[in-house]
Amino acid sequence: MSGGSGNVRRMTTSEDRNVLALPPSAHRGSKAELTFRFIDLFAGIGGLRLAFEAIGGRCVFTSEWDLYAQKTYRANFGDDPIAGDIREVEVPKIPDFDVLLAGFPC
């Protein structure tokens, strides 16, 4: 979007519904009907993971470089090992996944 151009088009209600269309079970927090695999990069202490597990996702790989964040993440989820710097991970060592989570900088 360019600032001040006046040509910004808002989504219609039906377009908005399509973007946000999760199965009804996801809104109830049911894990039974949804199954997808995700990787958690720049994971911090796992806030994004909580949300994606709540809608049925399963974390198959985690990367976080900060040792204190790793310690907290491990306490929260019991994951071991947690990969450190993602730039040092060989691509073949990352399992197949459906969704890539990437935490934003704190």
Side-chain angles (χ1 to χ4, degrees):
M1 289 195 224
S2 59
S5 70
N7 294 327
V8 176
R9 184 180 76 80
R10 299 251 183 231
M11 284 193 290
T12 65
T13 303
S14 63
E15 288 172 327
D16 187 48
R17 275 192 216 111
N18 288 335
V19 170
L20 301 175
L22 290 174
S25 61
H27 297 287
R28 292 191 305 272
S30 169
K31 293 182 182 182
E33 296 179 37
L34 295 174
T35 52
F36 60 92
R37 297 161 44 105
F38 66 87
I39 61 174
D40 196 2
L41 307 184
F42 321 109
I45 62 171
L48 283 174
R49 176 177 175 160
L50 287 173
F52 279 78
E53 284 184 337
I55 61 169
R58 183 169 60 92
C59 185
V60 296
F61 179 84
T62 303
S63 175
E64 170 56 51
W65 69 270
D66 184 272
L67 295 178
Y68 294 105
Q70 284 183 15
K71 184 175 181 179
T72 303
Y73 193 102
R74 205 170 275 114
N76 288 338
F77 300 103
D79 285 4
D80 200 24
I82 296 174
D85 189 336
I86 191 62
R87 296 173 297 180
E88 297 175 5
V89 176
E90 295 175 25
V91 173
K93 295 192 182 221
I94 299 174
D96 289 338
F97 60 92
D98 303 304
V99 178
L100 184 153
L101 304 184
F104 49 88
C106 293

